[in-house]
Amino acid sequence: MSGHKNAGRGRASFTRVQPGLALAAAGVDSDLPLSALAAGVGLSRFHLHRLFARIAGETPKQYTLRLRISRGAALLLTSKSSILDIALSCGFKSHEAFTRAFRRRFGMSPSAYRRRGFAADIASAAAAHVAFVRNVGPCLHFFHMDLDTPRGSDVTYSIVKKDLVPQTVLVVRRRVRRADIAAAIGGALPHIFQYAQQHGLALTGHPFTRYVEVGPGLLTIEPGIRVSGPQQAPPSLGAAADPTGAAPSDVVQDTLPGGPAVVTLHAGPYETLSDAYAAVETWIESHGLQSAGAPWESYITDPAEHPDPKDWKTEIAWPVK
């Protein structure tokens, strides 16, 4: 990502390390050693460690630990298994090791987290929350990443007008240069993910980014994650409980509006998303419609599971009057 510690990652590097990401995510319950990950991708341990950290923004150990704790947190809220059984199923060797790691990440013990439960009655969304943690959690650093993919020929978009249902979301607002969009999204989504888990908010749907204001030099964007709602997020637990170092107060609850919107699906790398936005904007004008708010893009495909950019799918929605 440009302007970020992950800057300069290209298609070849991501494709090379992607099997290691998949192995690490699939092997959360067994805590695969670095030697096993390196063997799985045909790299030396040193080379894999260096490349993995550059691509993912964290070491293999940090990556797997984050996934193990996140899955443990989801199981605490959605299963009746004992804390020890949850710890062992997530690759921890003991109740104590799980408790220490959990407390460092969320600022409370697993037992206190379980007693507090979800912030709202979300029985119908529990399965979606578990699926989000398991399937989307490993990929949150990679949405909108720049792989320096060559532009292909013009794409024809299928554009429709439909009525959307309002959705409760958590967002952070960032004012960035165009070159820093990917870095901002890659940093914000994991932060929101942790905030939601920390506060017992059920995660649902696809991550997204809303483009609040687009200027010639700077853009105001809102990366976000859908949560089960309507509900009011509880007060912040304080910066000391957030190991990312970001102020938890910058995560706010909002709504993706319902009502009429013009929608299309973009297939391919994120670098060509501007073509899809241009096609939607042209369609809106040609049909005599007017914008009714900021557009957003939802990341349908997890890039860590689908390394080829041609397989990535991004839905664009633009509210209209």
Side-chain angles (χ1 to χ4, degrees):
M1 297 178 184
S2 302
H4 187 255
K5 60 184 176 183
N6 295 336
R9 63 183 175 191
R11 182 192 294 207
S13 296
F14 179 75
T15 302
R16 190 71 187 273
V17 82
Q18 185 272 339
L21 293 165
L23 278 174
V28 164
D29 56 349
S30 58
D31 191 20
L32 288 175
L34 182 61
S35 57
L37 294 179
V41 298
L43 296 172
S44 70
R45 288 184 297 175
F46 173 78
H47 191 192
L48 174 64
H49 189 279
R50 181 174 60 84
L51 193 60
F52 193 107
R54 181 163 64 85
I55 295 295
E58 52 193 344
T59 67
K61 183 177 181 179
Q62 292 169 332
Y63 180 78
T64 54
L65 179 60
R66 175 172 61 82
L67 299 187
R68 288 158 62 199
I69 297 172
S70 292
R71 292 187 186 181
L75 290 174
L76 286 169
L77 298 184
T78 58
S79 80
K80 296 183 179 179
S81 300
S82 69
I83 294 177
L84 176 58
D85 286 343
I86 290 173
L88 296 177
S89 71
C90 292
F92 292 92
K93 299 185 184 302
S94 68
H95 180 290
E96 291 74 20
F98 177 53
T99 297
R100 286 194 300 270
F102 194 94
R103 190 184 293 276
R104 282 195 299 269
R105 183 161 183 82
F106 293 123
M108 67 180 71
S109 68
S111 57
Y113 186 85
R114 169 173 266 178
R115 282 196 305 271
R116 188 197 63 188
F118 280 114
D121 182 9
I122 51 80
S124 61
H129 175 76
V130 172
F132 188 102
V133 171
R134 179 173 293 274
N135 300 327
V136 182
C139 310
L140 290 172
H141 282 285
F142 309 117
F143 292 111
H144 217 296
M145 61 182 170
D146 181 3
L147 295 183
D148 300 322
T149 306
R151 294 183 70 91
S153 57
D154 291 339
V155 178
T156 300
Y157 291 95
S158 175
I159 301 174
V160 297
K161 180 172 173 282
K162 61 172 63 174
D163 284 330
L164 303 182
V165 176
Q167 295 179 309
T168 305
V169 296
L170 297 179
V171 300
V172 296
R173 180 166 289 198
R174 297 286 185 262
R175 185 80 167 155
V176 298
R177 301 178 304 164
R178 292 179 184 275
D180 296 331
I181 291 175
I185 296 171
L189 291 179
H191 174 46
I192 299 169
F193 178 81
Q194 179 174 340
Y195 178 92
Q197 280 205 302
Q198 187 174 15
H199 291 79
L201 303 177
L203 300 152
T204 61
H206 301 287
F208 68 94
T209 298
R210 180 162 51 182
Y211 291 83
V212 179
E213 182 179 301
V214 179
L218 297 175
L219 300 87
T220 301
I221 64 173
E222 289 181 339
I225 296 177
R226 294 164 169 88
V227 295
S228 180
Q231 59 193 6
Q232 180 62 44
S236 164
L237 295 182
D242 184 358
T244 65
S249 59
D250 66 355
V251 179
V252 298
Q253 183 172 295
D254 204 345
T255 302
L256 288 181
V262 175
V263 178
T264 193
L265 188 67
H266 171 79
Y270 300 119
E271 292 94 318
T272 55
L273 272 170
S274 59
D275 296 341
Y277 279 102
V280 170
E281 194 166 12
T282 299
W283 193 96
I284 290 173
E285 291 186 0
S286 67
H287 285 74
L289 301 174
Q290 291 182 309
S291 170
W296 63 85
E297 59 196 38
S298 299
Y299 309 116
I300 308 300
T301 308
D302 301 335
E305 294 185 7
H306 302 275
D308 193 333
K310 71 177 178 58
D311 297 327
W312 297 349
K313 292 181 172 58
T314 308
E315 183 184 73
I316 292 172
W318 200 317
V320 293
K321 295 179 181 178

